Amino acid sequence: MSKISVAIAGAGISGLCLAHSLLRAGFDVQIYERDPAPHARRQGYRITLDEHGIAGLQRCLPPHLFQLFLATTSPTAEIGYMRITNQNLGEVFRFAFQGDPSGTDLRTPRQADRQTLRTIMLEGLRDRVHYGKAAVRAETTSDGATLHFSDGSRVHASLVVGADGVNSALRQSFLPDCEPEDTDRWAIYGRTLLFQNGRSIVPRPLKTSGVFAIGPSSRGFFFTTMNFRESPQTAFPRFGMDQIPPITDDYVMWALLLPKEQFPEPQGKPRSEMLQQLALKAAQDFHPVLRRFVEQSDLDYTMAVTIKAAKKPAAWPVSRLAFMGDAVHVMPPTGSHGGNTALRDAALLAEKLKTAAIEGTPLEKAVASYQEEMSKYAFREVEASKTMLKRFTIKNPLMNWVMLRAIPRIRSWSNKSLTAE
């Protein structure tokens, strides 16, 4: 297997996950990242990992790194909820997720901080991750593929993997008919420390909940907490990590979803100050608890994202180039399946490549088999996420009144207030 070289474009969670699996099997793996340094920019905050994402990590990571990942996720002892509310946090309906006091049932969803997870996954790969290498195109041949970079350099490998995100230059050149669709929605993401002046800023009934509040003018407000089971500052040295954890404190991750027409067309990259002012304005019609998250947020962690949805290729060219994650199946965040699907991709592609190496079959056959299986589950999740995003935009006046006024009022008669301390 050491004769099979793999060049991965993108050092996000799927690219690093794949690299670990292939390295453990003896492949020669190199990762190329456009950013100039590991933490040059924010790459998201808290993510919800389900059984598919957790299984992908378990199959790919060295055991000690997988255990460190589990140690730094959120506690699973209590029942968790996903709640849909109106703008005043009046509950419309909720989903419950059974808790697991032991923390050993890997089918139980849990939260993870994306930066912490990515730092864990960089362990053991630092000599193989090359920064400041933005991939611009790939040329495939019968014996491999050549990856070209913006600085004029290039590398040749047995296989190139495009894990370079939603704006993938490799996808744009290789699958030009598959540019993601614009959903006409923007999101402003932010982070706020969970404990302010010694007290939690999240009301007690919502401490294990993810909440999506449907607001006026097609706006939406989502938030959830990131509680570490064990502080990364304690867990990292306990597991022999050389790196410094990027995040040490529990926090609230929040996001405001806005129609495109309510988001001013940015001139260049929007500044954090401008984004926070826009978020404050957009949140003014929401419950004071939600406004407080924005008012007390960490300015440096505020960022904007265009919400896009992938288009499934009409045909998959079979070659020495494969794609994973947002590079091929970006989806709206509604449903929390983007990261899980990317990790599932990494585990599946790794297994296909390892089987091909053992059996001596062509890598193209492994890529074709991977593409066939991946496209079935990935684009099913894309469609489900798009459908859920549409459901959060209620335009029918009668339905709007029933969902956001009548039902919360009826439920309030029998349920405890979600904002009670």
Side-chain angles (χ1 to χ4, degrees):
M1 292 187 187
S2 62
K3 295 180 181 180
I4 301 177
S5 56
V6 179
I8 302 173
I13 60 173
S14 64
L16 297 176
C17 191
L18 175 67
H20 273 293
S21 184
L22 295 182
L23 277 172
R24 294 174 68 200
F27 287 71
D28 177 16
V29 182
Q30 301 293 328
I31 308 115
Y32 301 91
E33 168 58 45
R34 69 167 67 95
D35 288 345
H39 305 296
R41 63 184 173 92
R42 310 299 177 198
Q43 294 197 11
Y45 306 125
R46 175 227 49 94
I47 59 175
T48 299
L49 289 166
D50 62 19
E51 59 183 302
H52 297 296
I54 295 170
L57 290 170
Q58 184 179 34
R59 288 161 61 186
C60 293
L61 295 185
H64 73 289
L65 294 185
F66 181 70
Q67 291 303 317
L68 175 55
F69 150 72
L70 291 179
T72 53
T73 57
S74 61
T76 58
E78 299 183 63
I79 296 176
Y81 298 95
M82 178 62 209
R83 303 178 189 266
I84 308 301
T85 75
N86 62 16
Q87 67 196 71
N88 293 313
L89 293 179
E91 189 172 87
V92 180
F93 59 88
R94 67 174 181 250
F95 304 103
F97 303 96
Q98 189 62 44
D100 171 33
S102 71
T104 59
D105 187 347
L106 300 183
R107 297 168 299 177
T108 304
R110 58 203 73 198
Q111 319 294 332
D113 174 68
R114 184 183 286 266
Q115 287 181 271
T116 300
L117 174 59
R118 186 166 176 261
T119 302
I120 291 171
M121 296 170 76
L122 282 167
E123 188 75 3
L125 298 178
R126 284 179 291 177
D127 293 340
R128 294 180 177 272
V129 181
H130 310 278
Y131 295 98
K133 306 294 286 187
V136 293
R137 73 180 191 278
E139 297 172 347
T140 60
T141 62
S142 60
D143 68 338
T146 300
L147 186 58
H148 294 261
F149 303 101
S150 60
D151 61 7
S153 63
R154 61 187 181 184
V155 295
H156 186 79
S158 307
L159 180 75
V160 167
V161 178
D164 48 341
V166 60
N167 297 313
S168 170
L170 301 185
R171 183 202 62 242
Q172 291 169 7
S173 61
F174 198 72
L175 297 169
D177 63 331
C178 293
E179 280 301 288
E181 300 172 338
D182 191 341
T183 65
D184 292 325
R185 307 280 288 184
W186 279 77
I188 302 175
Y189 288 91
R191 191 192 81 153
T192 307
L193 290 180
L194 178 59
F195 292 97
Q196 307 271 350
N197 299 318
R199 296 186 61 188
S200 171
I201 62 173
V202 175
R204 187 179 299 275
L206 296 175
K207 74 172 188 173
T208 61
S209 295
V211 175
F212 188 92
I214 302 174
S217 304
S218 298
R219 295 196 298 271
F221 196 118
F222 172 80
F223 82 88
T224 190
T225 57
M226 179 61 231
N227 297 90
F228 292 101
R229 182 189 302 270
E230 180 180 351
S231 167
Q233 205 164 9
T234 302
F236 272 39
R238 186 166 70 84
F239 281 87
M241 286 277 286
D242 294 330
Q243 302 180 77
I244 298 173
I247 303 293
T248 57
D249 297 311
D250 296 342
Y251 61 87
V252 176
M253 173 265 186
W254 56 265
L256 266 158
L257 269 65
L258 307 173
K260 190 174 183 178
E261 63 269 16
Q262 296 181 27
F263 194 99
E265 195 66 31
Q267 301 298 317
K269 184 178 180 180
R271 298 191 310 275
S272 295
E273 296 87 347
M274 185 271 279
L275 292 174
Q276 189 186 44
Q277 289 303 312
L278 180 58
L280 286 168
K281 183 178 179 181
Q284 65 184 353
D285 294 323
F286 287 89
H287 192 279
V289 166
L290 305 182
R291 295 202 304 268
R292 193 179 311 137
F293 297 153
V294 182
E295 294 166 354
Q296 300 180 0
S297 64
D298 187 331
L299 188 63
D300 292 338
Y301 281 79
T302 308
M303 65 180 188
V305 176
T306 306
I307 306 300
K308 295 186 177 183
K311 291 194 296 183
K312 185 176 181 179
W316 285 97
V318 177
S319 70
R320 295 291 185 96
L321 175 60
F323 290 93
M324 297 192 306
D326 284 354
V328 65
H329 52 62
V330 65
M331 62 190 75
T334 42
S336 300
H337 293 301
N340 290 292
T341 308
L343 294 172
R344 190 175 180 180
D345 293 348
L348 176 63
L349 181 56
E351 291 303 317
K352 296 295 183 182
L353 294 175
K354 287 186 281 189
T355 299
I358 292 170
E359 297 178 353
T361 54
L363 294 182
E364 290 88 346
K365 183 177 179 181
V367 171
S369 179
Y370 159 74
Q371 289 174 170
E372 182 180 3
E373 289 188 38
M374 176 270 287
S375 63
K376 292 178 181 177
Y377 63 74
F379 288 96
R380 182 171 62 243
E381 298 294 1
V382 171
E383 292 304 314
S385 298
K386 287 168 59 179
T387 299
M388 190 174 294
L389 182 64
K390 290 179 181 178
R391 286 177 179 170
F392 288 157
T393 304
I394 305 172
K395 296 183 178 180
N396 182 288
L398 177 60
M399 183 61 69
N400 188 292
W401 181 83
V402 171
M403 285 282 289
L404 303 183
R405 292 179 180 272
I407 293 178
R409 185 172 299 175
I410 293 170
R411 291 181 67 87
S412 69
W413 296 340
S414 57
N415 292 343
K416 182 181 178 182
S417 169
L418 296 180
T419 59
E421 294 296 335

